[in-house]
Amino acid sequence: MLKTGEMFALMTAVCWSITALCFEAAGKKVGTLALNLIRLVIAFIFIAVYGLFVNGSPVPWGLSFHTWKWLVFSGIIGFVLGDLFLFKGFINVGARISMLMMSLTPVFAAIIGFFFLKETLGLIQLAGMAVTVSGIAIVVVGHGKAIPAGHNYKKSIIGVACAVLGALGQAGGLVLGKYGVKGIDPFIATQIRIIAGIAGFAIIIILTGKSRIVINALKDKTAFIFIIAGSFFGPFLGVSLALASVKYTSTGVSSTITSIVPVILILPAVFLFHEKIKISEIIGAVISIFGVWMLFI
């Protein structure tokens, strides 16, 4: 029987699978900057309504500076930097390949822990990192049609690199988020991260003179529907469940379970989009997930 933390992590993986498909579709229509800002604003509204009914206030007042500090840093690194790169990956190489890169998140979390928290890695953990990278390499080399039509080799390489940087940002954001979420509602912790994310993307859009793209994005009804759905299952529900998971289990265990997203995405790829999945993709996915699991046994 799954424990509380593991169950939350499994629910997170399902939510992130749904949001990956939604944001891939929306991102191709409106671009990553507009998508990121709009989805965070929508998620903020979802959590504000949640806070009003559960805590009597739509905004998390009265929290300590320590909590705000770590969660704001977590939001900037995870939502702004991490998600900006990840969404670039969605557009260039698709949701399944991008999310497979996200299976590197526990590896990066282990590396960050080694340098900043003085955590050491044993032989099994090092072997797990090697197995994970090998599995991802198998998928990337053999994915073929997994990359959207019309994308050249250079663009595909850039997409994979962006997705890897997204994983690095997610790892850093999750580690910092675990410091801030102690003793508070994970949904409220997510709201603080979202506030930081909104501020970050708003600054980027203003400085780059791309405010118009947000207005144009809101006019695309189809994309907006995808953004609403992705916002609910992603930054509102999925991220909150991820923070809830790390409250009850280790970051490594939680990240390992949530990394099954690429495997989950194989099912809609076959049954909804009628894609042909290569054996190498399946083998690579299994190997990478097994490697991540090895990191924390």
Side-chain angles (χ1 to χ4, degrees), residues 15-39:
C15 287
W16 283 353
S17 299
I18 297 172
T19 199
L21 295 172
C22 291
F23 286 156
E24 179 184 358
K28 291 177 180 178
K29 288 178 170 288
V30 303
T32 56
L33 278 177
L35 170 59
N36 274 285
L37 180 59
I38 295 171
R39 58 117 188 188

Side-chain angles (χ1 to χ4, degrees), residues 151-254:
H151 287 231
N152 57 36
Y153 179 78
K154 181 179 179 181
K155 198 167 187 177
S156 300
I157 293 298
I158 292 174
V160 171
C162 285
V164 172
L165 289 173
L168 181 59
Q170 292 292 330
L174 188 61
V175 171
L176 294 175
K178 183 164 186 175
Y179 279 107
V181 77
K182 295 179 179 179
I184 67 173
D185 186 332
F187 283 90
I188 301 305
T190 298
Q191 189 176 37
I192 297 175
R193 297 182 73 211
I194 287 175
I195 292 173
I198 291 174
F201 280 113
I203 292 172
I204 291 174
I205 289 174
I206 292 173
L207 292 179
T208 55
K210 295 183 178 180
S211 302
R212 190 67 188 176
I213 65 174
V214 177
I215 298 175
N216 292 335
L218 293 173
K219 296 178 181 179
D220 192 318
K221 294 181 180 179
T222 301
F224 192 62
I225 292 174
F226 279 119
I227 295 174
I228 291 175
S231 300
F232 179 83
F233 288 103
F236 169 60
L237 186 58
V239 174
S240 298
L241 289 172
L243 288 179
S245 176
V246 297
K247 286 188 69 173
Y248 295 100
T249 188
S250 69
T251 304
V253 170
S254 177

